[in-house]
Each structure stands twice: as structure tokens, then as C-alpha cells.
Amino acid sequence: MTRFEFTIAATDGKARTGMLAMRRGEIRTPAFMPVGTAATVKAMKPEAVRATGADIILGNTYHLMLRPGAERVAALGGLHGFMNWERPILTDSGGYQVMSLSDLSKVTDEGVSFRSHLDGSKHLLTPERSIEVQRLLGSDIVMQFDELVRPDVEAKKQRAAMERSIRWARRSREEFDRGGEHATSAAIFGIQQGVLDENMRGESAEALIDIGFDGYAVGGLAVGEGHDAMLGCLDFAPRQLPNDKPRYLMGVGKPDDIVEAVRRGIDMFDCVLPTRSGRTGQAFTADGPINIRNARFAEDREPLDPSCACPTCSTYSRAYVHHLVRSGEILGAMLMTEHNLTFYQVMMAGLRSAIAEARFDAHADAFLSRYRARAI
């Protein structure tokens, strides 16, 4: 049984392509992970998610521990069997939800006490409990518990959060190693913090490397700092992390953000954007995003993206999908999500091929020029 093995098959500049091998399957990198927050990628059956080309999905610790409960999922055979997804699953630690629901929470060195956004019940999420929940879910890639702060908070709080995340990283690693059989079959990633500060991120990376993880995430980005600031951080953050381990940029993102991040050495991504946008009427195309709710599509017989071969684009017109979305029909969300997830996976496949064939910059520049040229 392969617990965790990362190989880099080719590089082109800082961009890399390779493979993550785990007991439940191989993950081609650069990889995009669809988000299955509540044990489902919204509006999609698991087999349809796999058909788009996804090798791995993401599950959410915070939401699943509240509903249906980690212990219940474990009693029902774990998250894979519960949702009928037998390939790898990465679970986040709950840290992002702690920040986004900060009006309901209080952070101390012990952990985060908070009230459920569902029913107001009180909970304490510690590094140990976060890892325990991920173990109960049967996660293949476990994320350390961390504290995330936005870039507009004062520098003193930024440093305090980075240093607390280091302490929580050590506790997360220790709890993971106490996991018996799960620890022998799963992997754990550390999360670099430090907002946009190169020195703080360097300190964070050094501490995480000293603890030792299977992979490393660049955390604390895509939380309002803006495209240029994020790329500025990615100009230095990836190189502070081990070259022989996978690098995961959490919560990113837009197609052009992903292309630029791959250019800077990132291997893994997740984001709710393709699924959430699909449900609200935005379709991603090679010529930029379109809003299918727009009246101009009411009689348009073209597919969402004429260059796309997904089942939605092969079968249905913009006019029909426009009608479904404007009418609030469930099928509209399903078709839009199927297309968007396929678009993302085809994009990732194109990036992998371009790196392997040593033509990444030309491919990326052509993709970005076309994608950014027009938006309807």
C-alpha cells in the first residue's frame, strides 16, 4: 500500500508537473480539487465529478463536525463510503471557517471556542480535535489546524497568528501521529502563514519544515488582498517551502489566478468558485466568463463554450440553459456546474501537458490573453 509519494516528472521554469500516489489513487499535478463542503460537490453526483477529470476532492471539517457529525460519519463507514467517493479526499482543518465566522468565535492558545452557525450550540475546536475529526472522517490528506487573519489587521496580530499557527502545527502533527492505522495510511500537510510579509512567511516555513510534514500549503491568501498582492506573495512563498514536497495554495481560485500560481511553482488548488458560480449563472469559457442570465442568450443556439466537449456543451444550447437558470430550475445549476468543473479540469490538463512539453510560458500567455480579452 502506498501511503504517500510525490514525484515531479518535469519542470518548466518554476512550474512543475508530477504525481501524488496514495492508497486510494493517483493525483496528477498541478491538480484542482472540487469542494465538497458537506459531503457533496453541490449539484453533482460523485461519478459525474470524477468524469470531469477530478482526481481528488475537498471536504470541510467545520461543517461536517456540526452536521451530520464526525462520529456519525465514522459509524457509517467514513466519508468515502458515506458519499460514494472512493478516490482521495483532502479535508481542511476548520481554520478558514473560524476566521469567516469570527463574530461567533474566540481564539486562545488552547483553540477556538465558537457557537454553531446552525443552532447556536457551543463548541471548542483545538488542534487535537481538528485532527480527530479528520481522522474520523477518514481523510487521506489531513490539514493542520491554523489561525488565519486578513491582511488588513495590525502587524502585531498578524505575527501572533503566525506564531500560534506554528504551535498548533506541532500539536496537530503530534495528534496525527497518535492516530494508529490512520496515521500509517494518510498524510498531513502543514500550513504556512504570515500574510504578505516575506520574513514572517520565512519563519513559518522554517518552523514547519523542522516539524516535518508530507506537504505544505500556502495559507492566508485569497482573503481580500487582491490579485497583484497575492502574486507578489507567491513570488517568494513557494520557494521557502521544500522543493520535493507538494505545495498547495488554499482557496484559489479564478482561472487566471491558478495559471499564474502554477507559473510560480504551486501544485494543488481548491476553490468553490466553479460550483458556486455555476449555481448563480456564471459559466467559465476559453473566452472569459459569461453570465448566462443575460437576456442576449435567450435565443442563442450555441453551447456555453463552443470549444468545450463536456456533456452540457455537447447537448444543450445557451438559450436552454439561460431558460433553466432564469427559471430557477435545478437542472440549470447541474448543467452549469458540470460545465464549469470540466472547464477547470481541462485547464489543468492543458497546464500539465505544457509543462511536460517545455512550452508552459507560451501556453499560459496564450490562455490568459484569450481568457482576459472579452467578458460578456
Side-chain angles (χ1 to χ4, degrees):
M1 179 187 73
T2 301
R3 185 187 76 84
F4 185 86
E5 182 180 349
F6 178 57
T7 56
I8 299 172
T11 61
D12 189 4
K14 294 180 181 178
R16 308 115 63 90
T17 185
M19 187 80 70
L20 254 169
M22 303 194 74
R23 62 173 178 146
R24 287 192 170 95
E26 295 178 334
I27 303 157
R28 297 162 292 179
T29 63
F32 179 81
M33 300 179 283
V35 175
T37 300
T40 176
V41 176
K42 288 182 173 59
M44 295 285 285
K45 290 182 178 180
E47 55 268 31
V49 176
R50 175 61 176 158
T52 68
D55 293 332
I56 179 173
I57 63 171
L58 180 145
N60 186 272
T61 290
Y62 171 89
H63 289 284
L64 291 170
M65 69 175 279
L66 295 180
R67 185 173 58 189
E71 285 75 11
R72 177 172 292 171
V73 172
L76 293 169
L79 187 55
H80 296 81
F82 186 55
M83 66 177 294
N84 191 34
W85 175 266
E86 292 305 322
R87 294 193 58 80
I89 295 176
L90 179 149
T91 48
D92 66 12
S93 68
Y96 176 79
Q97 284 70 32
V98 165
M99 184 206 74
S100 62
L101 300 170
S102 58
D103 56 327
L104 303 175
S105 64
K106 179 181 179 181
V107 181
T108 66
D109 273 349
E110 181 184 9
V112 183
S113 55
F114 65 93
R115 290 185 178 274
S116 166
H117 70 288
L118 298 174
D119 59 12
S121 58
K122 293 182 179 180
H123 299 267
L124 175 64
L125 189 58
T126 65
E128 292 77 15
R129 177 57 177 163
S130 172
I131 300 301
E132 180 189 27
V133 168
Q134 294 178 77
R135 183 188 305 133
L136 288 166
L137 295 174
S139 171
D140 297 289
I141 300 179
V142 170
M143 300 302 298
Q144 74 147 103
F145 191 56
D146 65 323
E147 182 183 3
L148 171 63
V149 295
R150 294 186 183 277
D152 56 354
V153 306
E154 60 186 85
K156 183 178 179 180
K157 290 184 178 179
Q158 292 180 11
R159 171 161 288 279
M162 183 272 289
E163 292 177 348
R164 180 176 287 122
S165 292
I166 291 172
R167 295 192 294 274
W168 285 356
R170 191 172 300 279
R171 288 167 57 186
S172 296
R173 175 82 231 201
E174 291 171 352
E175 179 59 30
F176 177 84
D177 290 340
R178 287 191 286 266
E181 182 180 348
H182 181 255
T184 67
S185 60
I188 182 169
F189 282 22
I191 304 176
Q192 180 200 50
Q193 292 291 354
V195 195
L196 302 175
D197 186 275
E198 185 170 0
N199 291 330
M200 279 202 294
R201 283 199 174 266
E203 290 180 45
S204 175
E206 288 180 11
L208 294 175
I209 293 167
D210 182 64
I211 295 168
F213 289 93
D214 297 299
Y216 297 85
V218 178
L221 295 179
V223 289
E225 73 279 359
H227 176 79
D228 291 342
M230 181 186 74
L231 294 186
C233 184
L234 292 177
D235 284 335
F236 59 79
R239 71 167 182 263
Q240 296 172 329
L241 301 171
N243 191 58
D244 62 346
K245 303 288 186 181
R247 302 164 179 157
Y248 164 31
L249 179 57
M250 305 179 74
V252 174
K254 297 177 181 178
D256 45 349
D257 288 342
I258 290 176
V259 172
E260 293 289 10
V262 169
R263 196 194 299 270
R264 289 161 172 80
I266 297 295
D267 306 300
M268 300 171 68
F269 303 86
D270 81 278
C271 191
V272 298
L273 193 62
T275 48
R276 180 176 292 169
S277 294
R279 298 194 305 276
T280 57
Q282 185 181 60
F284 294 97
T285 81
D287 296 303
I290 64 172
N291 181 357
I292 200 64
R293 301 179 66 90
N294 194 305
R296 73 178 68 191
F297 298 119
E299 297 182 2
D300 191 333
R301 298 188 182 189
E302 290 290 310
L304 288 175
D305 183 349
S307 63
C308 178
C310 79
T312 295
C313 290
S314 300
T315 310
Y316 303 101
S317 68
R318 289 176 171 177
Y320 181 59
V321 179
H322 165 88
H323 158 71
L324 294 174
V325 172
R326 288 289 295 265
S327 301
E329 290 291 339
I330 294 171
L331 182 58
M334 295 169 63
L335 296 179
M336 289 283 289
T337 302
E338 178 180 53
H339 164 74
N340 282 350
L341 287 180
T342 302
F343 176 86
Y344 268 63
Q345 296 301 338
V346 169
M347 175 181 70
M348 303 311 294
L351 296 174
R352 292 193 294 266
S353 295
I355 297 167
E357 296 167 10
R359 54 179 180 85
F360 176 79
D361 279 338
H363 173 83
D365 291 345
F367 175 93
L368 293 171
S369 178
R370 181 177 178 185
Y371 182 80
R372 292 169 172 168
R374 175 174 59 88
I376 300 177

